Amino acid sequence: MKVRRIYQTLLLLLFATSINAQSNGSESHPSTVEVEIKGAGGNFLFECKVNGLTTTAQINPKGKEILIDIAFARRLMAQGYITKADIIKRGKTKDPDGLSVGAIVNISRLRVASGFVLENIEAKVISMPDTKLVISPKQLELLGNYEINKYEGKLTMSKEQLFRSRNNREQVYDETEVAEIAQFPGGLSALSQFLGENITYPKKAQELNIQGKVKVYFIVEKNGSISNIEVVDEVHPLLDMEAVRAVSIMPRWIPGKLNDGTVIRQSFTLPVNFKFTE
């Protein structure tokens, strides 16, 4: 077999979603995201991502927990989206991998919409031939305010709670609002070199031929440290975690400043492209 060389194409786009409070910093600006839903026997279906894999989930208005179909769970494991380490409780039957009806598995990231992500949640494995994943209102409430409009086929979610949590200290600016943009020590070329030397393409991802661009959001604090690291555009847990790991070990940046010289917190989104090249 021809050996393929692997390149990590690291492209830095200095843009970010501004997460701002009002000028006095005391209140937040609610933002909403609309997700298309479809009715199904009193329940509602919508598209989401489970550990980076796009699938269809069902909202059960009367449910109290997250349920995952055994066949879908096995598919996730076969494709590397979950592993044996994610099985919190083994199922009723003695399957070699412990994945059977009755098992409890950990889902690292359940993305309902852009900016609305549940992390490290437990899902009970059952047999649901016509459904892959069931989510209850209890889980949606963890993300903030939401409203289901069955007539218009929309699930509307408010980001207000997420904005508040990120603004619990001070306002965060993006590059369009600052006089001096925060910089990696040595500039963009030094950043590309740092990432190129510190990112390792996960071996399992190579074996499964997993490629794609992971977008990582982070904040450069006033002291140059990196905080609030979050994957905003997922590909696969293996690649997502590697991109986050690399960002987390970056040295302190030179913080951004306003026109009057005030040092501020600034947000960035960094796309990291994992790609095979023959």
Side-chain angles (χ1 to χ4, degrees):
M1 178 182 294
K2 184 177 180 179
V3 177
R4 291 184 291 187
R5 293 181 299 168
I6 301 168
Y7 293 84
Q8 291 103 37
T9 304
L10 305 168
L11 173 62
L12 177 64
L13 299 178
L14 297 184
F15 71 91
T17 302
S18 179
I19 301 178
N20 300 320
Q22 293 183 350
S23 57
N24 62 8
S26 61
E27 297 182 24
S28 59
H29 291 297
S31 179
T32 59
V33 170
E34 292 185 345
V35 179
E36 181 181 354
I37 61 173
K38 296 180 181 180
N43 298 321
F44 304 95
L45 302 176
F46 68 98
E47 188 176 277
C48 65
K49 286 188 176 182
V50 178
N51 290 348
L53 178 65
T54 300
T55 188
T56 299
Q58 182 183 88
I59 302 174
N60 180 2
K62 298 181 180 180
K64 296 182 179 180
E65 58 188 344
I66 292 182
L67 305 174
I68 186 169
D69 175 54
I70 178 64
F72 181 55
R74 289 190 180 283
R75 177 187 169 191
L76 290 173
M77 178 168 285
Q79 297 181 359
Y81 288 96
I82 61 173
T83 68
K84 290 183 179 180
D86 292 312
I87 299 177
I88 300 171
K89 177 183 176 182
R90 296 176 67 90
K92 298 178 180 179
T93 58
K94 296 182 179 180
D95 292 71
D97 56 13
L99 188 58
S100 59
V101 172
I104 304 295
V105 299
N106 178 71
I107 297 177
S108 301
R109 293 178 65 84
L110 174 58
R111 184 181 183 188
V112 177
S114 178
F116 292 89
V117 179
L118 291 169
E119 297 184 333
N120 296 317
I121 55 174
E122 296 183 3
K124 183 177 181 180
V125 179
I126 67 173
S127 179
M128 302 183 293
D130 300 323
T131 307
K132 296 177 181 177
L133 191 72
V134 172
I135 300 176
S136 74
K138 181 179 179 181
Q139 278 73 43
L140 292 179
E141 289 172 358
L142 294 175
L143 294 169
N145 301 321
Y146 76 93
E147 180 181 357
I148 295 176
N149 188 326
K150 62 182 180 181
Y151 300 106
E152 296 183 5
K154 293 180 181 178
L155 166 64
T156 303
M157 306 196 70
S158 169
K159 283 187 175 182
E160 182 175 5
Q161 293 186 11
L162 295 181
F163 274 50
R164 285 176 178 168
S165 68
R166 281 180 175 165
N167 287 319
N168 58 2
R169 289 183 289 174
E170 292 182 51
Q171 179 174 343
V172 179
Y173 298 80
D174 68 17
E175 85 284 355
T176 66
E177 303 172 295
V178 302
E180 296 182 25
I181 297 175
Q183 299 182 57
F184 184 89
L188 296 182
S189 59
L191 173 58
S192 294
Q193 181 179 349
F194 172 85
L195 294 175
E197 293 174 351
N198 287 277
I199 288 183
T200 301
Y201 209 122
K203 185 176 180 181
K204 185 67 174 178
Q206 297 176 39
E207 295 172 352
L208 295 173
N209 195 31
I210 300 171
Q211 305 180 64
K213 183 183 294 182
V214 180
K215 291 184 179 179
V216 183
Y217 168 96
F218 60 92
I219 293 174
V220 178
E221 298 289 348
K222 289 183 175 182
N223 63 1
S225 62
I226 305 301
S227 70
N228 291 61
I229 302 172
E230 176 187 349
V231 174
V232 293
D233 199 347
E234 304 158 332
V235 175
H236 186 281
L238 294 170
L239 302 187
D240 298 343
M241 289 187 291
E242 179 58 20
V244 168
R245 185 195 64 78
V247 169
S248 70
I249 63 173
M250 289 192 299
R252 291 178 185 265
W253 284 42
I254 301 169
K257 295 181 181 180
L258 300 179
N259 284 318
D260 61 3
T262 301
V263 177
I264 49 86
R265 306 172 72 210
Q266 186 182 335
S267 60
F268 286 88
T269 297
L270 173 67
V272 181
N273 190 27
F274 292 85
K275 183 179 181 181
F276 291 124
T277 302
E278 294 291 346

